[in-house]
Amino acid sequence: MELKKDLIAEGNLPSTFSVPEPSVFNLPEKVLQFGTGVLLRGLPDFYIDKANKQNVFNGRIVVVKSTGSNVDEFSKQDGLYTQCIKGLVDGKPVEEYIINASISRVLAAQQSWNEIMEYAQSATMQIIISNTTEVGIELKADDDIKAAPPVSFPGKLLAFLYKRFQHFNGSPESGMVIVPTELITDNGKKLKEIVLQLAGIHKLGQAFIDWLNTANDFCDSLVDRIVPGALKIQDQLAFEKEAGYKDGLTIMSEPYSLWAIQSASERTKEILSFYKTDDSVIITSDINKYRELKLRLLNATHTFSCALSYLSGFELVYESMRDETIFNFIKKLMMDEIAGCIVGASITRAEAASFAGNVIDRFSNPYIEHKWLSISLNYTAKIKTRCVPLIMRYYEKTRKVPLYMSAGFAACILFTKPVEIIDGVYYGEIQNRKYKINDSNAGLLYSYWKNASAGVAVQQILSNDSLWDIDLTSIPGFAASVEYFLVQFGISGFKNEIIRLLHEGEIQNAG
């Protein structure tokens, strides 16, 4: 039997599952969502379903499938799908199954654009959510907003909003709350800017532009949850045996989640009432502190730890967290060095510690097979944006060189040392095992290492301000520290050197 409305009505589902009441199918459609991807189903749709089950939000989602035309997989299951949550919370394993009934219907833009546009006339429709990938929020100046459909997402959004403006005669109450979740900074502001540009290009009039500016709230937002997607085949079969039904739309996600939405509007807050049922939905006038927590404690920790973990013999993140040495290095890197760099007026020590604890759980999750090699993609660019600012802040605050960061940086330099070029692709090598260096600066790094000693190569690499936006040799002692670790890694081995570093750190803290 497939997961459908009738199955919900029968009520013969596992008692451990989170199951909607049949009345949920009668709720009004309040949300227009551009995108069917697993992140949207695993995060915004998760929150909306949770709020509906607690009789708080009381609204459902109309989903627009922007690419392709096949929506049968959703329609044959009445929009229902199961979300399996697996991972660690406070170091303890959790496993939860949720039947999500937030989606009312899925419509393909290519086939059903006129039907989608009819929702612009709906008084209950209040929210637009999107995840059209990073390239979705781009200006296509020649986009025809009268087409069925327009090519770009901003074009589709403008067409929808203009029809709504016309239907409701520009009433302030008809404005929408628009929350893009694309992974770019200032996503709401950038989307609004493009929509306004398109409105000007198409000469839609000052009254409409005023309505866009005053009646609609384009909210910057930050989403954070790993949603790998479908279960592995053996896990899917085990789940369906326990559930008693088949589900072709099952997704798996980690327990951790965050949706930070930037708005100072009380109207917006009331419209997004699903925030009341989950502390992980945060509506605030400034989401920058959540971006900083994620960028530094999650992303920078990944980047500082990547090469060191991979060169120590670990392919996957959770595997390295099972190793006491790597685990302690990552924990101390976050708490002893990174946290101190971001604690200040907006971020408290307790907030940093709480976020770091979540990061430890997330890195340790055995159900998320995150490869260190994937994290190493565009390594030097990630070091520049995520890590270099921390190195600078640490020195500015303490007048000392951050040792854990230095060790991570030294490992990065060794990891990105090309030893061979095959068909224009650069490769590094560890213990007779070659790996691809996916970095646009690999050729430059190769030129630095060619016929140069470690000391000379380090000086050249660190002093290149086009790589890091700063000459890193200008930080007193940093180059010497990086060179020291680089040499010691070759003599002692990666893990042995980290064990020594951890031991010395304990002695310093005790003193």
Side-chain angles (χ1 to χ4, degrees), residues 97-287:
Y97 292 90
I98 299 165
I99 296 178
N100 190 306
S102 63
I103 294 176
S104 172
R105 66 190 70 188
V106 178
L107 300 171
Q110 296 297 327
Q111 291 183 328
S112 306
W113 185 244
N114 291 334
E115 185 178 351
I116 292 165
M117 287 290 283
E118 288 176 9
Y119 282 101
Q121 304 174 66
S122 168
T124 62
M125 191 63 67
Q126 296 179 302
I127 303 166
I128 294 175
I129 300 171
S130 70
N131 194 295
T132 55
T133 75
E134 292 80 351
V135 297
I137 300 183
E138 285 187 349
L139 173 66
K140 293 189 180 297
D142 59 349
D143 203 358
D144 181 5
I145 65 168
K146 294 180 181 178
V151 173
S152 68
F153 166 56
K156 293 180 178 74
L157 178 59
L158 176 62
F160 182 91
L161 292 174
Y162 187 60
K163 183 168 184 177
R164 188 170 183 84
F165 167 80
Q166 291 177 310
H167 179 78
F168 289 101
N169 297 313
S171 70
E173 297 78 16
S174 63
M176 303 288 288
V177 176
I178 301 153
V179 191
T181 66
E182 286 81 356
L183 298 177
I184 57 175
T185 303
D186 299 330
N187 44 21
K189 292 185 185 72
K190 289 178 180 175
L191 179 59
K192 181 178 181 179
E193 181 183 334
I194 293 170
V195 169
L196 287 170
Q197 284 181 276
L198 280 173
I201 290 169
H202 289 279
K203 297 180 171 59
L204 299 182
Q206 189 60 45
F208 173 62
I209 289 174
D210 291 343
W211 179 80
L212 279 177
N213 278 314
T214 60
N216 299 270
D217 196 359
F218 288 76
C219 306
D220 291 340
S221 88
L222 173 70
V223 291
D224 190 9
R225 184 176 228 174
I226 299 174
V227 188
L231 292 168
K232 292 181 179 179
I233 293 175
Q234 62 270 28
D235 293 333
Q236 179 72 17
L237 292 173
F239 147 69
E240 290 181 349
K241 183 177 180 180
E242 179 185 357
Y245 61 81
K246 293 186 178 297
D247 182 357
L249 295 170
T250 307
I251 60 171
M252 190 272 278
S253 73
E254 65 174 337
Y256 178 84
S257 65
L258 171 69
W259 194 9
I261 301 168
Q262 185 163 299
S263 178
S265 166
E266 287 301 319
R267 173 180 180 266
T268 293
K269 203 167 185 179
E270 190 53 41
I271 288 173
L272 303 178
S273 59
F274 50 79
Y275 83 91
K276 298 175 183 177
T277 61
D278 198 307
D279 292 340
S280 298
V281 184
I282 300 162
I283 303 175
T284 176
S285 59
D286 186 358
I287 63 171

Side-chain angles (χ1 to χ4, degrees), residues 459-478:
Q459 288 292 324
Q460 289 180 320
I461 292 168
L462 293 185
S463 63
N464 188 332
D465 56 11
S466 67
L467 281 174
W468 321 114
D469 283 342
I470 182 180
D471 177 352
L472 288 172
T473 63
S474 66
I475 300 176
F478 183 67

Side-chain angles (χ1 to χ4, degrees), residues 350-374:
E351 286 173 326
S354 175
F355 196 94
N358 286 325
V359 169
I360 292 293
D361 281 340
R362 300 175 74 185
F363 284 10
S364 303
N365 189 343
Y367 301 103
I368 306 295
E369 295 189 348
H370 204 171
K371 295 182 178 179
W372 285 119
L373 276 182
S374 298

Side-chain angles (χ1 to χ4, degrees), residues 420-468:
E420 189 174 15
I421 310 173
I422 303 175
D423 297 329
V425 177
Y426 293 87
Y427 289 85
E429 184 176 1
I430 181 69
Q431 296 175 350
N432 298 318
R433 179 167 51 101
K434 288 186 172 62
Y435 55 87
K436 189 183 294 185
I437 300 174
N438 286 308
D439 195 300
S440 60
N441 291 310
L444 175 64
L445 298 172
Y446 181 77
S447 70
Y448 284 153
W449 278 107
K450 194 173 183 180
N451 302 320
S453 66
V456 171
V458 167
Q459 288 292 324
Q460 289 180 320
I461 292 168
L462 293 185
S463 63
N464 188 332
D465 56 11
S466 67
L467 281 174
W468 321 114

